[in-house]
Amino acid sequence: MNNLTELYGKIKTFAENHNMINEFFVANTEDDLNNREFNFKTLALLLLEANISRDLNSPIYTLDFGAIVIDRIEDDNDLGSIMSSEENLFIIGQLQDYLLQEGYDVDFDNVELVSALGEEYNITSAMSDFSVVLARKPYTRGIDD
């Protein structure tokens, strides 16, 4: 059975072993993202919501996540901005491929590319929501009253 703890471990392993990622963390809220000092290139994961289903007697959880890759580039560097955005998009694509290879039923939505100006450097990011389907245990188990 796939569960949320195993999924977290897989994504953490992906981030720790990926040569382009320097930092991985799970953000509890969007404020965690806004109030954090980043070690660039960063992969952040945000748990958004979950749906519980038993359609066709197939018990599943469908969990929605946000994946964000954040990078820093030199100020006034058009080529650096393009290259950084390309790398961020590449990492999101590899995360999707990795999860599929690990047997997760995963769907990634549109990837939003965002750039922001800083005082000493600029920030590029790629953000995508994705859904993962995890199996639930059958309802024949006892209910914890």
Side-chain angles (χ1 to χ4, degrees):
M1 176 181 99
N2 292 331
N3 66 41
L4 185 56
T5 305
E6 289 172 354
L7 177 63
Y8 163 77
K10 296 284 185 184
I11 295 172
K12 184 176 184 193
T13 298
F14 167 82
E16 290 173 344
N17 292 335
H18 200 287
N19 292 328
M20 296 170 75
I21 299 173
N22 296 318
E23 177 184 32
F24 168 75
F25 73 96
V26 176
N28 294 317
T29 65
E30 289 184 25
D31 288 338
D32 283 353
L33 295 171
N34 297 331
N35 299 324
R36 186 176 180 107
E37 198 64 37
F38 292 102
N39 179 14
F40 300 95
K41 191 171 289 245
T42 298
L43 173 62
L45 190 66
L46 184 62
L47 183 57
L48 301 174
E49 67 180 23
N51 292 304
I52 301 171
S53 174
R54 196 171 285 293
D55 289 342
L56 302 174
N57 202 26
S58 176
I60 61 168
Y61 298 109
T62 303
L63 295 138
D64 294 334
F65 293 90
I68 305 162
V69 179
I70 303 164
D71 197 14
R72 174 174 60 191
I73 58 168
E74 294 177 14
D75 193 17
D76 276 340
N77 185 345
D78 292 342
L79 179 59
S81 178
I82 295 295
M83 290 173 61
S84 178
S85 294
E86 181 179 47
E87 290 172 358
N88 294 346
L89 190 57
F90 177 75
I91 290 170
I92 294 283
Q94 285 200 321
L95 176 59
Q96 179 185 28
D97 292 346
Y98 173 77
L99 291 174
L100 289 169
Q101 289 172 4
E102 291 295 317
Y104 290 94
D105 183 5
V106 60
D107 290 317
F108 276 69
D109 290 333
N110 297 327
V111 179
E112 183 179 350
L113 301 174
V114 178
S115 296
L117 300 175
E119 292 180 18
E120 299 176 16
Y121 51 83
N122 294 340
I123 305 275
T124 64
S125 62
M127 299 177 279
S128 179
D129 291 347
F130 67 98
S131 298
V132 176
V133 175
L134 301 176
R136 290 175 52 200
K137 294 181 180 177
Y139 65 86
T140 55
R141 303 175 60 83
I143 303 297
D144 191 8
D145 292 352

